[in-house]
Amino acid sequence: MYRPLLDGINFYAPEWRDKIMQVFADCAEKGIPYDEEMEIITRKGRRVWVRATGEAIRNEKGEIVEVQGSFQDITDRKRAEEEQDKLQAQLIQAQKMESVGRLAGGVAHDFNNMLGVIMGNAELALEKAVPNDHLHENLRDIIDAARRSSDITRQLLAFARRQTIDPKVIDLNKTVEKMLKMLRRLIGEDIDFSWQPFSGLWPVKMDPSQLDQLLSNLLINARAAIEGVGRVTIETDNVTFDEAYCNDHAGFVPGDFVLLAASDGGCGMDRNTLENIFEPFFTTKAVGQGTGLGLSTVYGIVKQNDGVINVYSEPDKGTTFQIYLPRHGRETAVITAKDQENVPVSQGETVLIVEDEISLLDLTRRFLDRLGYAVLEASTPARAMDLARDHKGKIHLLITDVVMPEMNGKDLAERLQALYPDLRGLFMSGYTTNVIAHRAVLNEGVHFMQKPFFIKDLAVKVREALDG
Ligand code: ADP
Ligand code: MG
């Protein structure tokens, strides 16, 4: 009885058809009224959300003779609900990432300090060990393991946006070009690598080593996604988002951006994977093959640079990551390559070290002793001030932790400079927190050293700070 009625009606969106048939059948055969929300397609091909309600009409004998119903357009309400759901989901996701980030960042910071002590002590012991001896080998293994662990903590710090950065105005094309050889090696010979720079690219301001981290992580993933031969493309472009675009795309703000995109023709991802890829330790790879830290690092770096990241991927159709970095307004600066070949030593200078982590303070002092510097050490800023007041003679350089309980390193440096106007500064940190600036950036041009460090790093940084 309901068949003729339905045959004339073929405007249901295909995915709703089975459900609608069932509802009408139940009404026409069993007299069950319906009240359903569904999508229909208008004669012009537009999809419209409707609320369909109806009931069976019976004759005097109680037999069903027809179904009477109506449609009400509820498209606007549905769109608003969908929008609301999307925003809600984005908010929950952002909050989750934030709290995971805080946890990871906190652990990584303390852990990083300890690694510094392990690495440094092993290095000092190594110099006393006889080459080819077992002990020598053991110490090398300790240093290697500590270095690998330090890479992991560094990735976590990057995700938590606690990576201390040294941003410079750069031409992304030029910086990527310098990395091409390394990137090609990274993806291997079977994969065709295509580099498509946009000429006239706007400058961006970021730490070039972060760009290195970004691209390495994306390409390592691309390589893993491609089975056998394939192609990876990296391209750049200038992009401007207007108000209208940003209203439709959550996370975007109007303005000029530089696009860096990495695409591969690999295995792609399903929805479930896509929803989780930026979370630290999320991996679909076998134990030992993935850490799940690659994309969380990428995410943290993009956020730290006020950028936006987008992913497009479908199973078997490949993947594209798009990273938008805000355009920077000024001329491009030249990045000077640092010559780190020889270990430079003291020319008779006096150095004041301030570090609240005692074991790290001790280690840094021993490093400096070995390099021939006269060393004053303090475990708190207050003690550093006392030492500086009592000291007879010059203090050439202050090496200080950035984040300390009483006073941050930057303020300490300023106070000490009142006593010693020529005093140079070298800042060190596993990260800088809100104390400095919410985005963890020290003033431009200051000398900075990431923890943990090797004696050679310290030697070079100290000389840079003293001579530069
Ligand atoms: P890992 O590579 O250690 O698994 P990542 O954070 O780098 O961790 O990536 C997380 C997951 O995202 C991967 O395990 C993989 O499932 C997926 N993924 C990332 N990049 C790609 C890509 N280019 N193609 C397909 N899947 C990818
Ligand atoms: Mg990876």
Side-chain angles (χ1 to χ4, degrees):
M1 192 177 214
Y2 62 93
R3 282 267 164 224
L5 181 119
L6 280 180
D7 282 349
I9 306 172
N10 55 7
F11 51 75
Y12 302 100
E15 66 270 28
W16 287 100
R17 192 167 174 87
D18 287 349
K19 165 107 186 167
I20 307 302
M21 285 296 202
Q22 189 60 50
V23 167
F24 281 140
D26 285 348
C27 186
E29 286 171 355
K30 300 178 195 150
I32 305 171
Y34 60 88
D35 184 348
E36 296 286 336
E37 291 180 356
M38 64 181 84
E39 278 179 290
I40 60 170
I41 296 172
T42 66
R43 239 178 279 141
K44 285 185 181 155
R46 203 163 58 89
R47 274 178 173 256
V48 177
W49 270 99
V50 294
R51 178 180 174 195
T53 50
E55 58 183 357
I57 305 295
R58 294 166 196 271
N59 60 18
E60 316 80 80
K61 289 186 226 149
E63 292 162 352
I64 298 171
V65 289
E66 65 174 329
V67 171
Q68 261 181 20
S70 66
F71 293 114
Q72 180 193 351
D73 186 342
I74 55 165
T75 306
D76 288 348
R77 195 195 86 208
K78 274 288 179 192
R79 294 274 179 272
E81 277 172 15
E82 277 167 12
E83 193 56 28
Q84 188 70 29
D85 288 352
K86 208 168 91 191
L87 288 174
Q88 184 71 19
Q90 275 167 353
L91 181 67
I92 291 172
Q93 177 69 4
Q95 283 170 340
K96 189 171 71 185
M97 297 296 260
E98 198 60 44
S99 58
V100 175
R102 259 200 306 276
L103 177 68
V107 174
H109 174 247
D110 292 349
F111 197 69
N112 212 30
N113 276 342
M114 293 304 114
L115 281 174
V117 177
I118 294 172
M119 259 159 57
N121 279 295
E123 217 190 5
L124 287 175
L126 190 65
E127 290 179 11
K128 298 232 172 69
V130 186
N132 300 328
D133 188 58
H134 271 312
L135 188 61
H136 198 272
E137 208 176 296
N138 297 149
L139 289 167
R140 286 240 70 90
D141 286 351
I142 292 177
I143 292 175
D144 284 350
R147 191 180 281 138
R148 277 201 302 276
S149 309
S150 147
D151 286 344
I152 294 178
T153 54
R154 201 161 294 173
Q155 284 172 303
L156 276 176
L157 288 170
F159 167 67
R161 283 174 259 164
R162 296 281 178 81
Q163 204 180 26
T164 318
I165 49 173
D166 187 8
K168 296 187 169 65
V169 179
I170 55 171
D171 175 341
L172 215 68
N173 285 346
K174 287 209 186 102
T175 316
V176 173
E177 257 142 44
K178 282 198 205 116
M179 297 194 274
L180 283 181
K181 225 163 105 192
M182 182 272 288
L183 297 175
R184 282 214 170 88
R185 232 186 355 250
L186 202 66
I187 56 172
E189 284 169 3
D190 289 340
I191 297 172
D192 183 16
F193 180 72
S194 159
W195 162 235
Q196 313 276 352
F198 175 84
S199 73
L201 196 68
W202 292 322
V204 294
K205 186 171 180 184
M206 79 180 294
D207 188 330
S209 70
Q210 286 194 311
L211 189 63
D212 187 330
Q213 285 179 301
L214 276 186
L215 285 174
S216 310
N217 282 311
L218 292 178
L219 290 194
I220 289 170
N221 285 342
R223 185 188 59 191
I226 295 173
E227 215 179 306
V229 290
R231 168 181 279 239
V232 169
T233 307
I234 296 185
E235 55 201 308
T236 56
D237 204 353
N238 290 341
V239 184
T240 302
F241 297 126
D242 58 14
E243 295 275 354
Y245 184 88
C246 298
N247 288 340
D248 284 357
H249 294 79
F252 285 88
V253 287
D256 291 343
F257 290 82
V258 169
L259 168 68
L260 176 68
S263 313
D264 67 68
C267 63
M269 286 173 265
D270 58 26
R271 278 188 71 109
N272 202 18
T273 305
L274 267 178
E275 274 167 21
N276 293 299
I277 50 172
F278 294 121
E279 272 167 45
F281 303 114
F282 174 84
T283 179
T284 57
K285 292 170 188 165
V287 176
Q289 290 188 4
T291 56
L293 285 171
L295 289 179
S296 54
T297 303
V298 169
Y299 180 88
I301 291 173
V302 172
K303 291 287 161 198
Q304 189 169 29
N305 287 285
D306 293 327
V308 182
I309 183 162
N310 256 353
V311 203
Y312 296 98
S313 185
E314 271 178 62
D316 303 324
K317 297 253 169 65
T319 302
T320 296
F321 284 91
Q322 296 180 326
I323 292 168
Y324 298 93
L325 298 164
R327 172 188 186 170
H328 186 266
R330 271 178 291 151
E331 288 298 306
T332 304
V334 189
I335 307 156
T336 50
K338 291 169 197 132
D339 178 14
Q340 299 206 340
E341 282 313 297
N342 306 309
V343 177
V345 295
S346 160
Q347 291 167 19
E349 292 96 343
T350 299
V351 178
L352 169 60
I353 331 166
V354 190
E355 160 69 63
D356 59 329
E357 181 67 55
I358 299 295
S359 46
L360 213 55
L361 174 66
D362 190 43
L363 179 75
T364 314
R365 180 189 40 80
R366 281 187 283 157
F367 275 172
L368 289 167
D369 275 348
R370 303 222 13 193
L371 294 169
Y373 293 94
V375 184
L376 301 168
E377 56 183 304
S379 60
T380 66
R383 238 168 268 161
M385 289 301 297
D386 288 345
L387 260 182
R389 259 186 230 107
D390 297 345
H391 182 71
K392 311 265 179 302
K394 256 190 107 130
I395 300 178
H396 300 83
L397 176 69
L398 166 72
I399 302 181
T400 179
D401 195 9
V402 180
V403 184
M404 291 176 291
E406 302 162 12
M407 190 192 300
N408 72 50
K410 195 174 153 208
D411 291 345
L412 175 65
E414 276 162 16
R415 291 210 192 174
L416 286 170
Q417 264 151 2
L419 299 171
Y420 296 87
D422 296 335
L423 182 73
R424 300 295 181 94
L426 170 59
F427 296 89
M428 53 184 179
S429 181
Y431 65 82
T432 63
T433 56
N434 322 347
V435 186
I436 315 302
H438 130 102
R439 276 197 302 130
V441 190
L442 276 169
N443 284 353
E444 225 168 316
V446 305
H447 295 279
F448 178 79
M449 187 165 55
Q450 167 97 44
K451 287 191 222 172
F453 45 81
F454 286 104
I455 189 163
K456 193 171 160 190
D457 305 327
L458 180 71
V460 171
K461 290 282 183 180
V462 165
R463 280 265 51 104
E464 274 178 15
L466 282 167
D467 302 336

